[in-house]
Amino acid sequence: MKRPTMQDIARRAGVTKAAVSFALNGRPGVSEPTRRRILAIADELGWQPSSAARALSDGRAGSFGLVIDRPAHILGLEPFFMQLISGIQTELTRDSTPLLFTMAEDQQAEIALYRRWWGQRLVDGVFLVDLQVDDARVPVLEELGMPAVVIGAPVGTGSLPAVWSDDAGAVSTAVAHLAGLGHRRMGRVAGPAHLRHTRIRTEAFDRAVAAHGAVGRTVETDYSGERGAAATRELLRSGERPTAILYDNDVMAVSGLTAIQAHGLRVPADVSVIAWDDSALCELVDPPLTALRRDIVTHGAHAARRLRQAAGGAAVADLQDPAPALTLRGSTGPAPAREGAGTF
């Protein structure tokens, strides 16, 4: 069935297309009884204004965009982005605003999408995720004047507002918990080094480990389970293996747990494990994983609310959500007896 048009409404109502336009747009030019009749027919036919027509009339597309530059096989496994999108959609459905979501192979392809979307009036603003240490997207969005909200720390964000939580504080919480259990050799399996939040976490990890008189080592990966397991095996083969490992996401933590057990070690008796971003995955393994928990759905909703305000012309400030808190489960315990700091 073809989409109803203003011409269809005009034909049914026995009026001109101009009269239909006046009635649908609330403009003078038709009598009140005619206006009510036209609106009733439009509702009966299921007529909706096209986004292209709306953009031409008021400059608004009525939608927002989200581009993610990560491999599809990783994105499909990681609960974080599914929860984030759920939170964004929860807020946007309040006024039926659609989310234009796609993936890009690299940052230059992502920038090209932004230019096309803005030039063709396809979106009123975008969510910027996975901010990089030297991020080329920020100056482009500022140049375009395109409303955008960064989901991440307000570092290197230029004039763009950010919705964020304290990654450095969360790392300190995790390390303090492990140090309190007597751990003095700690490993960390991190995400890609070029991401801003990875650098923030790495620097915080190094500071926190040193402050507790411990030693630490970070191995960078791509967030996948395969690379997480490989990084775990690399840490376990160290001359002085770590007695605790902090993982930057839940997928790598679950794979790391399996790798530790395959190495003939017990969790937590030999190695304690902490996951970042608690999810159902953390509760489905044995032992269940101690994890850093935050309300990602609410985090996404806050970002959507900020972007709607920015697209409406309001001045939007950064918003800091509560820092992740540690949820204790069976994967962390006292360090093995007679552990010295050592090196690895």
Side-chain angles (χ1 to χ4, degrees), residues 18-19 21-32 35:
S21 178
F22 292 151
L24 295 177
N25 290 292
R27 293 161 53 194
V30 292
S31 66
E32 192 54 35
R35 186 188 308 279

Side-chain angles (χ1 to χ4, degrees), residues 161-186:
V163 174
W164 65 292
S165 59
D166 186 3
D167 279 4
V171 170
S172 296
T173 296
V175 171
H177 171 66
L178 295 172
L181 293 170
H183 293 278
R184 292 298 178 267
R185 295 193 305 273
M186 304 180 199

Side-chain angles (χ1 to χ4, degrees), residues 4-144:
T5 65
M6 286 198 293
Q7 187 61 53
D8 295 327
I9 299 171
R11 189 178 301 112
R12 177 78 68 87
V15 298
T16 65
K17 186 177 176 180
V20 171
S21 178
F22 292 151
L24 295 177
N25 290 292
R27 293 161 53 194
V30 292
S31 66
E32 192 54 35
T34 300
R35 186 188 308 279
R36 288 197 298 268
R37 183 159 56 91
I38 289 171
L39 293 175
I41 292 172
D43 185 62
E44 178 188 342
L45 293 177
W47 178 85
Q48 294 289 333
S50 72
S51 59
R54 182 169 56 241
L56 287 172
S57 63
D58 64 7
R60 299 287 297 275
S63 63
F64 294 123
L66 171 63
V67 183
I68 296 179
D69 173 16
R70 287 201 190 182
H73 71 280
I74 294 175
L75 184 62
L77 290 174
E78 193 173 22
F80 169 81
F81 275 111
M82 299 305 103
Q83 294 178 50
L84 181 70
I85 292 170
S86 175
I88 290 172
Q89 289 283 55
T90 297
E91 176 63 27
L92 295 186
T93 53
R94 294 179 184 275
D95 59 2
S96 301
T97 299
L99 177 68
L100 184 55
F101 170 68
T102 190
M103 300 176 67
E105 60 184 38
D106 56 36
Q107 199 166 91
Q108 291 308 309
E110 187 173 340
I111 288 172
L113 269 173
Y114 293 151
R115 291 189 182 279
R116 181 167 64 84
W117 283 356
W118 192 240
Q120 296 179 3
R121 301 181 184 179
L122 296 177
V123 298
D124 295 322
V126 293
F127 301 97
L128 202 64
V129 297
D130 282 344
L131 197 71
Q132 298 187 15
V133 174
D134 296 307
D135 203 296
R137 297 171 297 175
V138 171
V140 170
L141 292 172
E142 289 178 320
E143 171 202 334
L144 292 173

